[in-house]
Every structure is written in C-alpha cells, then in structure tokens.
Amino acid sequence: MMAISQAMCTSFKAEILDEQHDLAADTIKIALYTSSASLGAGTTAYSTSNEVSGSGYTAGGVALSSTTVATSGTTAYFDAADPSWTSASFTANGALIYNDTNADKAIAVLAFGGDFTVAGGTFKIVFPAAGTNAIIRID
C-alpha cells in the first residue's frame, strides 16, 4: 500500500513565483486516486498511475467550475465549486488538483483519510469555505 499525503505541491509553489499558472483562466482539473497511489508534496504532474476507474468516472477527472482567485485579509486563495461525479461506482482514497492547460502540472494533493466508496450514486468533494480556509491558499 502506498500513501497519499495532503499537501500543496512543492513544484507548484515555485511555478507560481515563476508565473507559470493562471488559476483564474487556465483549466484546472481534479482527478481521483486509489489507496495504491503515491501522492504528496513531491508530486509534480497528473498521472494515470493508480487513478480511479469505474462507472461515472473518466480518466483525468473533471474540470473545476466557478473558479475564483481572490484575497481575504492577508490571505490569497483559489476556490471552485464542489466537484462531483454522478451515476458513479468506484472507491477513492485521495485526489490531485492539477493544471490541465499547463502540461498537467500538479497543484495540490487531497488525502481523504481512507477509502470512500460510491455505488450507483453521486461522489462529491466538499471544499472548505473560500477565504482563509480555502483548499488552496497562501497565508
């Protein structure tokens, strides 16, 4: 069993300082992974290795919608609508948010803390509230 560790990807931190991402305009996607995946701060790009498969899921995941880049106090953040997969049957242990427009470069890894299974229903990831609790933020 590999491990999925929640983190903002280290490569992303350097890439934003080098102006390689436009989170307000680029297509940002989220892909789901099984517990066999090895994802964490060192992840640099989207990969199909140990990506979820099953009904209602397409390799590469889904594009995030209603994306926003904003500030709250001294915190800059990225937010999006909660992604979901309908008529789905699969098990996921974590996710990778990545920039589909920019060579599938990794942005952040989400660790679910265990397997979550959906059988013929809707699988939804609920992001924290925008602002100082946003899933992707620079404090």
Side-chain angles (χ1 to χ4, degrees), residues 10-22 102 105 138:
T10 304
S11 58
F12 172 70
K13 294 174 187 178
E15 291 161 2
I16 59 172
L17 293 176
D18 197 28
E19 300 180 34
Q20 294 185 35
H21 296 271
D22 184 349
N102 188 2
K105 291 181 178 181
I138 300 172

Side-chain angles (χ1 to χ4, degrees), residues 26-30 62-67 78-83 97-98 127 136:
D26 293 349
T27 299
I28 308 303
K29 294 182 88 173
I30 185 166
V62 296
L64 295 176
S65 63
S66 302
T67 58
F78 168 83
D79 191 42
D82 297 339
I97 298 172
Y98 68 97
F127 289 150
I136 299 169

Side-chain angles (χ1 to χ4, degrees), residues 12-112:
F12 172 70
K13 294 174 187 178
E15 291 161 2
I16 59 172
L17 293 176
D18 197 28
E19 300 180 34
Q20 294 185 35
H21 296 271
D22 184 349
L23 299 181
D26 293 349
T27 299
I28 308 303
K29 294 182 88 173
I30 185 166
L32 301 176
Y33 290 86
T34 70
S35 61
S36 297
S38 181
L39 301 169
T43 301
T44 58
Y46 161 76
S47 168
T48 59
S49 180
N50 297 302
E51 187 174 7
V52 161
S53 64
S55 64
Y57 187 83
T58 302
V62 296
L64 295 176
S65 63
S66 302
T67 58
T68 303
V69 174
T71 59
S72 177
T74 59
T75 300
Y77 65 89
F78 168 83
D79 191 42
D82 297 339
S84 63
W85 292 261
T86 58
S87 302
S89 293
F90 55 76
T91 298
N93 190 275
L96 176 68
I97 298 172
Y98 68 97
N99 190 332
D100 188 54
T101 301
N102 188 2
D104 294 341
K105 291 181 178 181
I107 295 173
V109 174
L110 308 181
F112 298 162

